[in-house]
């Protein structure tokens, strides 16, 4: 990945001091302004390259669109539902979190709530403070031998499973991503949700909040569960339908709930909080000294590693960048961007309908994804309100109705890998083929013109389409000289049977391509 310059970072919430220390030790200017209103953050953010938040700051589209220099939003914690990821992606901003920073703390709180639900610990403690001795009222149940359903088998779900297994609980679960054989290796039998609900004595949820998980536990779900099932939510408010949960509690279908998160925080409606069978906390999942230190330190280290070109960890919207941290990938990205730029110049920024990117050769086997994005960067540059980059290029193309296809195939005899790009516009189809030779990106073909000498994709380049002629080079040289430009290199096609593309490296671009009309049927120029 090309280095990203992060010179200044705004921290909008209280994070561990190590976050600021690490950033400043690496030459980044840090400002801390906590508890800003939305309008204050909109006014402030325009001066910064990076923003670090926890969960209280809502990074809305308005804030993102006001951030002219912003390149990264770092969430010191798990999940990014307080960040408008789509708006950030559209603007080419990396959104990063610390997926493992609060894993242990969230898992331990989940276990604490499960145990508290089984033995009524908070209620009994409160009764004692009121001077009572109600042993019979707080009769509990053992966890041993009970079935725990874990919905979401990521890092936290896995840690919860291992801890509750030590209490003798049977752990079953569901996750659309984690393979069943993986979860089975740490003692969790996976099954469909329809199979899971009726078996559980306890249910805990550990999923992100997204359209598919909103209201995952609802009236219909509770009706399928055992009567008296107990539920825990230390993930995100809204995964359990709060109105449905209250109805289930009042009917006895749900025997108790441990809630650390709510749809509205702090909740204005206290019906759930005040229910005698509900144990509630003010979003304490990550509220341990260890988790806060870990999250603050992790987000700073991840940002530093990214700008130093070491690796990219925790990025939720920039998976395409994960394979771009080698010198070889930098060269391939430059190649793809340059090929895209050549095609843009040759199509005169016409409306694109379809783009096909094909890579060939073993050296490009794992690069097709980011090379496709890089081609789009070169092709779409200047086409939109924001500058395209590897993060937003695909989404910008999709938004514009451009069909993007990519493929990789084995090289047929070519030592170096090649990148072939075909662009379909409303009036024509243009093709280009490039490669990296001697560490330099070169153009091998443009449409049906195979260059006898590969075109070095750097500097000022003038492309023109003309019939072959012994006087062509001298004529072009004279014409360019009249325009105040000198020829620095010349690439001719190997086939002279029809009109073909030629390329001239020039000292400066022509002020008007119309000067080439006496010689060329088509012309394009660009600076790379």
């Amino acid at each position: 990945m090309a280095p990203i310059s992060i010179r200044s970072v705004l921290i909008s919430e209280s994070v561990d001091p190590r976050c600021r220390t690490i950033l400043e030790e690496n030459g980044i200017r840090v400002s801390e302004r906590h508890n800003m209103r939305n309008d204050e953050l909109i006014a402030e953010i325009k001066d910064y390259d990076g923003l670090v938040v926890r969960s209280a700051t809502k990074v809305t589209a308005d804030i993102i669109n006001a951030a002219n220099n912003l390149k990264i939003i770092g969430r010191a914690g798990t999940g990014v539902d307080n960040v408008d990821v789509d708006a950030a992606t559209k603007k080419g901003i990396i959104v990063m979190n610390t997926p493992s920073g609060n894993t242990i703390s969230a898992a331990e709180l989940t276990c604490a709530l499960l145990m508290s639900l089984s033995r009524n610990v908070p209620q009994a403690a409160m009764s004692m403070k009121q001077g009572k001795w109600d042993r019979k009222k707080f009769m509990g149940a053992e966890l041993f031998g009970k079935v725990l359903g874990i919905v979401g088998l990521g890092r936290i779900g896995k840690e919860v499973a291992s801890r509750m297994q030590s209490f003798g609980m049977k752990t079953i679960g569901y996750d659309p991503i984690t393979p069943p054989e993986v979860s089975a290796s740490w003692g969790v039998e996976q099954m469909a949700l329809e199979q899971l609900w009726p078996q559980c004595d306890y249910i805990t949820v550990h999923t992100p909040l997204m359209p598919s998980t909103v209201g995952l536990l609802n009236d219909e779900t509770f009706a399928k569960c055992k009567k008296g099932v107990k539920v825990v939510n230390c993930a995100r408010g809204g995964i359990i339908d709060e109105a449905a949960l209250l109805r289930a509690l009042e009917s006895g279908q749900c025997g108790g709930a441990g809630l650390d998160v709510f749809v509205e925080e702090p909740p204005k409606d206290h019906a759930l909080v005040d229910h005698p069978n509900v144990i509630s906390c003010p979003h304490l999942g990550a509220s341990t000294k260890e988790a806060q230190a870990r999250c603050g330190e992790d987000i700073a280290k991840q940002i530093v590693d990214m700008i130093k070109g070491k690796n990219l960890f925790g990025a939720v919207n920039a998976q395409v960048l994960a394979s771009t941290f080698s010198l070889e990938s930098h060269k391939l990205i430059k190649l793809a961007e340059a090929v895209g730029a050549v095609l843009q110049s040759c199509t005169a920024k016409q409306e694109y309908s379809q783009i096909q990117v094909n890579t060939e050769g073993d050296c490009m086997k794992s690069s097709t994804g980011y090379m496709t994005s890089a081609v789009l960067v070169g092709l779409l540059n200047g086409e939109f309100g924001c500058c395209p980059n590897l993060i937003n290029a695909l989404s910008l193309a999709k938004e514009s109705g451009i069909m993007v296809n990519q493929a990789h195939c084995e090289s047929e005899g070519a030592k170096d890998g090649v990148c072939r790009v075909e662009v379909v516009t409303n009036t024509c189809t243009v093709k280009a083929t490039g490669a990296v030779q001697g560490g330099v990106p070169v153009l091998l073909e443009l449409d049906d013109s195979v260059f006898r000498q590969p075109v070095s994709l750097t500097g000022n380049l003038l492309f023109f389409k003309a019939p072959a002629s012994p006087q062509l080079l001298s004529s072009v040289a004279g014409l360019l000289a009249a325009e105040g430009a000198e020829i620095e290199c010349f690439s001719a096609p190997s086939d002279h049977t029809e009109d073909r593309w030629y390329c001239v490296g020039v000292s400066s671009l022509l002020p008007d391509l119309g000067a080439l009309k006496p010689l060329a049927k088509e012309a394009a120029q660009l600076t790379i």
Side-chain angles (χ1 to χ4, degrees):
M1 185 180 72
I4 294 177
S5 175
I6 304 290
R7 295 166 296 179
S8 59
V9 168
L10 173 64
I11 300 176
S12 67
E13 297 179 56
S14 177
V15 297
D16 187 86
R18 281 286 294 157
C19 179
R20 178 171 192 154
T21 300
I22 292 169
L23 292 174
E24 290 182 335
E25 286 175 348
N26 286 275
I28 299 172
R29 177 173 57 85
V30 179
S31 299
E32 291 192 61
R33 289 197 60 192
H34 303 165
N35 305 315
M36 282 187 288
R37 299 191 310 270
N38 194 65
D39 59 325
E40 291 176 324
L41 185 52
I42 287 175
E44 185 82 9
I45 195 61
K46 65 181 185 297
D47 298 323
Y48 294 92
D49 302 312
L51 173 65
V52 172
V53 303
R54 284 179 59 193
S55 57
T57 302
K58 307 304 178 187
V59 189
T60 63
D62 288 341
I63 292 169
I64 290 166
N65 291 331
N68 297 325
N69 300 320
L70 200 62
K71 301 176 182 71
I72 185 165
I73 300 169
R75 158 85 162 95
T78 303
V80 288
D81 48 278
N82 58 316
V83 178
D84 190 328
V85 177
D86 289 339
T89 301
K90 183 177 179 181
K91 202 161 183 184
I93 299 169
I94 297 172
V95 179
M96 177 186 290
N97 68 349
T98 54
S100 58
N102 63 3
T103 297
I104 299 301
S105 294
E108 288 184 354
L109 181 62
T110 300
C111 297
L113 289 175
L114 288 167
M115 289 184 278
S116 295
L117 283 172
S118 71
R119 299 304 295 271
N120 303 303
V121 175
Q123 297 94 325
M126 184 60 68
S127 176
M128 288 286 289
K129 289 180 183 297
Q130 295 169 353
K132 299 176 182 178
W133 187 265
D134 291 327
R135 294 183 66 192
K136 292 183 180 180
K137 182 178 179 180
F138 300 114
M139 178 68 67
E142 292 182 351
L143 293 172
F144 182 83
K146 301 300 191 299
V147 177
L148 172 63
I150 305 172
V151 181
L153 297 168
R155 292 178 179 86
I156 297 173
K158 177 183 178 181
E159 295 297 334
V160 169
S162 68
R163 283 156 178 75
M164 299 319 294
Q165 286 162 11
S166 68
F167 281 81
M169 296 193 84
K170 178 184 177 182
T171 51
I172 60 177
Y174 168 80
D175 192 295
I177 298 174
T178 303
E181 59 271 20
V182 172
S183 61
S185 70
W186 26 272
V188 179
E189 178 189 357
Q190 278 205 55
M191 58 189 67
L193 288 173
E194 295 301 306
Q195 294 175 279
L196 181 141
W197 303 130
Q199 297 187 48
C200 299
D201 299 297
Y202 296 81
I203 296 170
T204 178
V205 294
H206 300 285
T207 72
L209 183 65
M210 56 181 68
S212 61
T213 62
V214 171
L216 194 61
L217 273 76
N218 51 43
D219 288 312
E220 184 179 346
T221 306
F222 279 117
K224 296 175 182 177
C225 293
K226 287 183 180 179
K227 188 173 180 64
V229 65
K230 295 179 174 65
V231 297
V232 171
N233 185 3
C234 286
R236 287 291 182 268
I239 297 172
I240 299 177
D241 183 319
E242 293 180 352
L245 173 58
L246 185 59
R247 288 189 288 269
L249 286 163
E250 290 174 343
S251 70
Q253 182 64 21
C254 178
L259 304 176
D260 185 47
V261 290
F262 299 85
V263 172
E264 185 178 36
E265 295 183 354
K268 292 179 181 177
D269 184 351
H270 278 248
L272 272 176
V273 175
D274 293 338
H275 194 282
N277 292 339
V278 172
I279 300 167
S280 57
C281 302
H283 204 148
L284 299 180
S287 294
T288 63
K289 294 177 181 178
E290 294 85 354
Q292 290 311 302
R294 200 179 297 120
C295 287
E297 192 170 328
D298 284 356
I299 197 65
K301 287 181 177 178
Q302 289 169 208
I303 291 172
V304 169
D305 283 349
M306 180 196 70
I307 62 178
K308 287 188 173 182
K310 291 184 177 179
N311 60 50
L312 183 69
F313 182 75
V316 301
N317 69 332
Q319 292 85 350
V320 69
L321 301 181
S323 302
T324 63
F325 285 85
S326 67
L327 181 60
E328 192 61 34
S329 67
H330 296 179
K331 296 173 183 176
L332 293 176
I333 289 169
K334 287 181 179 179
L335 165 66
E337 287 185 2
V339 170
V342 169
L343 288 170
Q344 185 198 61
S345 69
C346 291
T347 53
K349 296 186 178 181
Q350 296 179 49
E351 186 176 330
Y352 306 116
S353 60
Q354 187 172 335
I355 297 166
Q356 177 72 46
V357 179
N358 293 334
T359 54
E360 298 178 12
D362 290 342
C363 66
M364 292 188 179
K365 193 171 186 178
S366 60
S367 65
T368 308
Y370 65 74
M371 289 192 72
T372 299
S373 294
V375 167
L376 292 171
V377 169
L379 190 68
L380 304 180
N381 189 35
E383 295 287 300
F384 301 94
C386 65
C387 183
N389 60 21
L390 295 181
I391 302 162
N392 64 5
L394 276 171
S395 62
L396 289 174
K398 182 179 180 181
E399 191 176 90
S400 300
I402 303 171
M403 182 182 296
V404 179
N405 298 306
Q406 58 187 30
H408 177 80
C409 64
E410 297 305 317
S411 180
E412 297 179 3
K415 181 181 178 182
D416 298 314
V418 297
C419 176
R420 303 185 189 277
V421 183
E422 180 177 287
V423 174
V424 179
T425 76
N426 51 347
T427 61
C428 64
T429 298
V430 185
K431 298 177 289 184
T433 301
V436 175
Q437 295 183 354
V440 177
V442 297
L443 186 69
L444 304 176
E445 302 175 25
L446 183 59
D447 272 347
D448 296 324
S449 300
V450 179
F451 293 104
R452 195 181 311 157
Q453 177 67 35
V455 176
S456 178
L457 291 172
T458 183
N460 300 313
L461 300 177
L462 174 64
F463 292 91
F464 63 90
K465 196 171 188 179
S469 166
Q471 294 80 33
L472 182 62
L473 180 56
S474 58
S475 299
V476 170
L479 191 151
L480 291 174
E483 297 293 325
E486 298 178 0
I487 291 180
E488 296 181 344
C489 60
F490 181 74
S491 294
S494 55
D495 183 359
H496 298 291
T497 57
E498 298 177 6
D499 292 346
R500 291 288 186 264
W501 283 99
Y502 294 78
C503 182
V504 181
V506 291
S507 58
S508 60
L509 298 181
L510 296 180
D512 182 10
L513 282 175
L516 286 172
K517 280 187 177 179
L519 299 174
K521 295 185 176 181
E522 295 180 52
Q525 61 181 350
L526 74 158
T527 300
I528 299 177

